[in-house]
Amino acid sequence: MSWQWFHRLGSPRWFYQKTSVWLPWLGTASLLLLAVGIAWGLGFAPEDFKQGNSYRIIYIHVPAAFLALAGYYIMAICGAIGLIWKMKLSFVVMRAAAPIGAALTFIALFTGAVWGKPTWGTYWVWDARITSMLILFFLYLGVMALSGAFAREQSGDKASALLALVGTVNIPIIYKSVDWWFTLHQPATLKLTEASTIDPSMFYPLITMIAGFYLFYAWVLTLHTRSLILQREWRTQWVRELLGQSAPAAKV
Amino acid sequence: MHPARKQRLILVVLLVALSSVAVGFVTYAMRANMDYFYAPSAFVAGEVPLEKRIRAGGCVVPGSILRDDDSLDVRFALTDGEAEVEVVFDKILPDLFAEGEAAVVTGKLQQGGYVRADQVLAKHDESYTPPEVADTMVGKADCKGDAKI
């Protein structure tokens, strides 16, 4: 089997040039979906018969939590690819994914707290779901801190990739915590194997928001990866040429 | 695949597998502490210590809410479908607290088998329904009273 395509994928220069074409499409599509989803979910979807309007936090909370978990796997898998194939670009994507994931986890925790006060009667409880989500937030911060803690960039890559991989243990725990243990947090509304317990009029804007968040994540991850590539590769010929062409003042 | 890469792949898989097993053992050992609250049947089975701060969770039994006429005092029963436990509370209940809805209370189990609560939280279920659809539903679909609420 030829691994050539795989190794070409690992070239930061190739990635930078390819994504220049994708970026505007990705950005437009994600902002469009998010705008439609937000207007639909916050403005037009009916209110819940028990919670009233406060349930609308679901349109931010659930997509953010989805991407916080999925983004962790993206980060860890990139770390694994980097370790196994010694692929520079993979480590760069891993580093780029950490702050985005941390921000999404924070959004999920924060919106959950805002919703918890009027619904449960408290901002915070230490149940299994919420505590494991807080651990996820600390894992993201840990990967960010560890990747920057070494003078040699390669040491930071390896150490933070190992931490990211060990941390994957937490993801199924977060996901299944509401089924395995008694928690204050309710079980999942969107189910893979059976009918979701949400009315279609509320479900479609939610799916739109989730799709929008996925595209937005891809967009932001690509943007951040590109800026990290330029920072890492600034000594190389192609980056110098690129900067020389677009911004002559940037020459050092 | 290059042998060196294969070796690193195996090491990565081992790292994830072993840390999963380790965390699995830890959570298994702490399984009783992973639950946020005791179900009412645990009270009946005598698993809940007296005069210690504990939490109880379950469905508020319809018709069990008794309010005092001239104070905030309220009594109600929680059930998990198998057993019931009585709760006494003297503060303001959350908005979504209602008969047939789930609630989680923090307090101390008293001599006589009831819980004197100092906090009552409403537990929301995972269903979302517009008012028009809720009006057409026959009976209350939520809080079925099974053990896993």
Side-chain angles (χ1 to χ4, degrees), chain A residues 148-156:
Chain A
F150 294 86
R152 274 184 73 236
E153 217 153 35
Q154 286 88 337
S155 311

Side-chain angles (χ1 to χ4, degrees), chain A residues 26 30 34 67-68 70-75 93-94 96-102 104 140 211-223:
Chain A
L26 210 52
S30 70
L34 286 181
L67 264 298
Y72 195 91
Y73 276 131
I74 291 174
M75 183 176 78
V93 178
M94 175 194 77
I100 304 169
L104 287 165
Y140 273 125
F213 261 72
Y214 264 97
L215 287 181
F216 184 75
Y217 182 89
W219 185 40
V220 175
L221 183 65
T222 313
L223 276 176

Side-chain angles (χ1 to χ4, degrees), chain A residues 47-51 83-86 118-120 122 125 169 179-184 186-187 189 197 199, chain B residues 1 5 8-9 23 34-37 96 101 104 121-124 126-131 134 142 147-148:
Chain A
E47 60 179 45
D48 182 67
F49 84 108
K50 254 183 263 164
Q51 302 176 59
L83 286 175
I84 297 164
W85 282 275
K86 300 220 185 267
T119 312
W120 296 333
T122 180
V125 292
V169 179
D179 301 326
W180 286 343
W181 303 296
F182 289 142
T183 54
L184 187 61
Q186 64 269 30
T189 295
T197 47
D199 193 78
Chain B
M1 199 190 263
R5 288 184 193 130
R8 289 198 293 266
L9 174 71
V23 172
M34 298 297 286
D35 286 322
Y36 189 62
F37 52 82
L96 280 126
E101 301 285 341
V104 175
L121 301 177
K123 179 171 165 26
H124 188 258
E126 70 273 29
S127 54
Y128 296 86
T129 320
D142 50 287
K148 210 78 194 174

Side-chain angles (χ1 to χ4, degrees), chain B residues 71-121:
Chain B
S71 71
L72 285 172
D73 288 2
V74 59
R75 302 177 71 93
F76 55 89
L78 294 174
T79 181
D80 58 357
E82 288 163 31
E84 287 187 12
V85 63
E86 195 84 15
V87 180
V88 178
F89 187 54
D90 59 1
K91 297 190 192 75
I92 297 168
L93 291 163
D95 291 349
L96 280 126
F97 179 90
E99 290 178 352
E101 301 285 341
V104 175
V105 308
T106 310
K108 287 176 181 171
L109 179 60
Q110 307 290 315
Q111 211 60 256
Y114 66 95
V115 175
R116 182 172 293 282
D118 49 48
Q119 187 191 40
V120 172
L121 301 177

